[in-house]
Amino acid sequence: MSKPIIVFDLDGTLVDTAPDLLDSLNHTLVAGGLAEVDDRAFRRFVGQGGRIMIERAYNAQQKQLASVEHDRLHDIFLDHYTVNIPGRSLPYPGVVAAMDRFTDAGYLLAVCTNKYENLAKGLIQALGLSDRFAAITGPETFGIRKPDPRHLTETIAKAGGDASRAVMVGDSVTDIDTAKAAGIPVVAVDFGYTDRHVSEYEPSVVISHYDELTLGMAQKLIEAASR
C-alpha cells in the first residue's frame, strides 16, 4: 500500500542556497566584465535559476546580453556552483526535525525541484540528507518541470507515495501553482525566494518556521483535500 508523503521544493524551501548561488552569479558577472550585484536586492531571484539571474543582472546594469554570451556565462555559473557545492548552503532551521517527525510517523519524503537533478542530488548528498528521500527529481528526470503538475505527481509515484495523501512544501508561486494544479495541498514557507509574499498566491497554509509543520497540520490538509 502506498504511503503518505511530504514533497519539498529545494532552493528557498528545504535549503538556504542563496549565499552560494549569489557567489556564483557574482563570479559569472565579473567574468563577463560587469559589476557584482547587491546580494540583498537579488536574493529574491535566486530560485529562478542561473540563466534568469544572469539576465536580471544584465538588465539591472543596462547591458546587452547576446544569446551566445548568455550560454557562455551560464556554463561559467554552473561550473562555479557545482565545484563549490555545498559551500555555505544549509538546511533551514527546524527542517531536519520536521523530516524526522514525518518519517517516524510513516510518511515518505521527496524533493521536486526545478534545479538540475544532478545538482540537487549533489547538494543533498553533501549535506548528508540523501538517505531521507525516496525520490529526488529535477526538470530532466521526466522531461517536464514545475509548474507542470506532472512533475509533482510523477515524483510522488517515483517515491512510491500516495498522491491522495500528499502535501507539497514550497516557497514560490511556481510551487503553489504546481500543487494546486495537481489537486494537492501546499504549505508555503515565507522565508524563501520570492518578490511577493507567498500569502498573495493563496497556498493552503503559510508557515514561518518548520516547527509549525506538524503531523496534525498535514493530516488536516489531506483530509480537507479529499472532501
Side-chain angles (χ1 to χ4, degrees):
M1 182 178 177
S2 298
K3 293 184 177 182
I5 186 168
I6 308 295
V7 183
F8 295 89
D9 172 52
L10 183 53
D11 296 271
T13 299
L14 190 68
V15 180
D16 183 7
T17 52
D20 299 303
L21 291 167
L22 289 166
D23 283 349
S24 293
L25 175 62
N26 283 325
H27 171 83
T28 302
L29 295 177
V30 170
L34 271 70
E36 295 184 354
V37 299
D38 180 340
D39 287 359
R40 292 169 298 177
F42 267 75
R43 184 180 173 88
R44 68 185 186 275
F45 298 130
V46 300
Q48 299 178 17
R51 293 190 70 89
I52 292 179
M53 290 171 68
I54 293 166
E55 181 182 329
R56 294 291 177 88
Y58 266 71
N59 289 341
Q61 297 184 38
Q62 299 181 331
K63 300 289 186 180
Q64 296 295 316
L65 180 59
S67 60
V68 173
E69 178 68 354
H70 200 173
D71 291 341
R72 184 184 79 86
L73 293 175
H74 189 234
D75 288 342
I76 291 172
F77 176 93
L78 289 176
D79 287 344
H80 184 272
Y81 182 72
T82 303
V83 167
N84 289 285
I85 285 175
R88 294 181 286 154
S89 295
L90 290 171
Y92 280 102
V95 71
V96 172
M99 290 191 290
D100 286 342
R101 284 197 294 276
F102 284 97
T103 299
D104 290 347
Y107 281 72
L108 295 171
L109 305 176
V111 172
C112 178
T113 175
N114 280 346
K115 196 185 200 76
Y116 291 124
E117 181 185 330
N118 67 312
L119 294 178
K121 287 183 173 179
L123 174 61
I124 290 169
Q125 181 177 13
L127 293 172
L129 301 175
S130 294
D131 60 353
R132 293 176 175 273
F133 299 105
I136 300 169
T137 70
E140 71 273 43
T141 309
F142 311 112
I144 47 180
R145 66 168 61 217
K146 299 178 294 185
D148 189 321
R150 294 174 298 168
H151 191 177
L152 176 55
T153 56
E154 291 295 327
T155 298
I156 293 169
K158 184 177 177 68
D162 183 348
S164 69
R165 293 188 293 162
V167 175
M168 175 77 185
V169 183
D171 72 311
S172 70
V173 63
T174 300
D175 299 319
I176 295 166
D177 286 349
T178 301
K180 286 181 176 180
I184 290 171
V186 55
V187 175
V189 300
D190 66 4
F191 44 74
Y193 312 142
T194 179
D195 55 356
R196 293 167 57 188
H197 196 276
V198 286
S199 62
E200 296 183 34
Y201 306 120
E202 299 182 347
S204 307
V205 177
V206 176
I207 63 171
S208 299
H209 192 284
Y210 273 105
D211 289 351
E212 300 172 57
L213 184 64
T214 63
L215 293 168
M217 172 189 287
Q219 188 59 40
K220 287 180 181 178
L221 291 173
I222 290 169
E223 289 174 356
S226 65
R227 291 172 188 158

